[in-house]
Amino acid sequence: MFSINKSYSQKASNIISADFAIRDFTITKDSIFYIKKRDAFLLDKKNQSQDHYFIGGYGLEIYAKESSNMIVTASNELVRNVSSVRFYNKKTEKFDDVFYYKKGKIIDFLFIPEAELFVLSLTNKKIVFIDYSEKPKFYKTIELNLNALSRKLIFKNNKVYFATDNGEIYEYDFYNYKKELVYNTSKLITDFIINENEIIYTTIKGEIIKVNRNSQETEKIKFKNTFISTFENVDGTLICGGWNGEIFIIREKPFTLLKELNLHKRTILKIKPYKNNIIYTSSLDKTIKKWNLN
């Protein structure tokens, strides 16, 4: 166990209070795009005006840009084992295209516009790559069969990284169809980040572990009565969201727990760094909050 500096003085602005948990959101200069249950919302940060678009299903992930009319959402349908990816046109207020997957629910979703692909991690222990370059036709180009669920997908340097419930982290080169085991631990991984020299991952047992990829040496911080549900690296500082709504601030080098912030009342769902050390966080407490890392 590490001692922590509890901070109750951190100020957080309540940006959105909703009647349902906000699973994902995107911050731009002037707007916040977010997904709540069966709708996508656009909040104008200046005048607080809001538009919303019905998307159906149970919304999990959203991809949107201020300069584009396209909103892409990933949802689990109310029908058993059916999930969907929808391409919504804000200008026409219609769905241009919808892809349905009928053999499993979505656990995680990646949208890779530069490759005209999206990737689904599914409850049937598969990861599928879908080519949307000729939509309304969609083509399944790759299907990976796993021996466990994968709860986390990362796109980095033209490769997809994923972790399984068996504690394995893989690198997949989808241009050359090559899968490589990067790291193996026996623990269920809740989130991870990876770079050339290090892997940092969190476990269901309340650990955050840093691994040197060259020496395989590890450093660990363990929390009591909680675990990290999601985290982000901001210039060498790890912003970690806890199962009970805590925010833990960890310095990467040296690997040190700096403080705990109590900003939310329930599990942290998303952490979105913005400019000038401003951080946005959403939680199962049905809020999005804005606060400063300093």
Side-chain angles (χ1 to χ4, degrees), residues 17-220:
S17 293
D19 57 356
F20 204 81
I22 296 168
R23 293 279 170 181
D24 193 23
F25 63 97
T26 298
I27 306 294
T28 67
K29 179 182 178 182
D30 298 319
S31 305
I32 300 175
F33 296 90
Y34 66 97
I35 193 166
K36 187 193 72 173
K37 205 172 182 179
R38 308 189 75 188
D39 295 274
F41 292 80
L42 169 60
L43 174 68
D44 187 305
K45 291 195 289 186
K46 292 182 179 179
N47 58 31
Q48 294 297 297
S49 64
Q50 187 166 257
D51 294 321
H52 77 276
Y53 316 93
F54 176 78
I55 60 169
Y58 182 89
L60 301 173
E61 304 276 348
I62 186 168
Y63 175 88
K65 284 189 173 181
E66 206 160 26
S67 59
S68 172
N69 284 319
M70 181 178 66
I71 298 174
V72 181
T73 59
S75 302
N76 285 327
E77 299 298 310
L78 303 182
V79 179
R80 183 178 179 180
N81 286 331
V82 178
S83 49
S84 65
V85 177
R86 289 175 164 88
F87 292 76
Y88 187 87
N89 190 316
K90 291 187 294 182
K91 187 174 183 180
T92 63
E93 297 185 353
K94 294 180 180 179
F95 294 108
D96 287 341
D97 307 284
V98 181
F99 167 83
Y100 288 103
Y101 186 85
K102 299 182 179 180
K103 297 180 180 180
K105 298 283 192 179
I106 296 171
I107 301 174
D108 202 8
F109 169 79
L110 281 181
F111 186 64
I112 311 175
E114 54 265 52
E116 294 186 290
L117 287 173
F118 57 83
V119 187
L120 307 176
S121 172
L122 298 152
T123 55
N124 58 6
K125 299 180 182 178
K126 295 180 185 289
I127 294 176
V128 297
F129 291 67
I130 307 297
D131 184 328
Y132 68 85
S133 61
E134 297 181 24
K135 59 183 177 61
K137 294 182 179 180
F138 296 89
Y139 299 97
K140 182 173 67 176
T141 59
I142 299 168
E143 180 177 286
L144 301 179
N145 293 297
L146 310 178
N147 56 9
L149 296 176
S150 174
R151 301 179 190 274
K152 180 68 176 182
L153 303 169
I154 293 174
F155 176 64
K156 186 179 179 70
N157 297 330
N158 290 320
K159 295 177 182 177
V160 170
Y161 295 84
F162 62 91
T164 76
D165 279 2
N166 288 338
E168 303 151 328
I169 297 175
Y170 287 94
E171 173 188 280
Y172 188 74
D173 182 343
F174 56 86
Y175 287 109
N176 297 302
Y177 308 103
K178 292 182 179 179
K179 185 176 78 169
E180 179 182 351
L181 180 64
V182 175
Y183 190 73
N184 191 5
T185 176
S186 60
K187 301 170 183 179
L188 195 156
I189 295 170
T190 58
D191 201 356
F192 74 100
I193 58 176
I194 190 166
N195 56 45
E196 185 178 350
N197 300 315
E198 294 172 338
I199 300 168
I200 302 175
Y201 65 94
T202 57
T203 76
I204 198 73
K205 294 183 178 180
E207 303 160 313
I208 181 166
I209 300 170
K210 183 173 74 168
V211 182
N212 185 302
R213 295 184 66 180
N214 297 315
S215 68
Q216 296 297 297
E217 292 181 356
T218 64
E219 299 176 74
K220 179 172 72 173

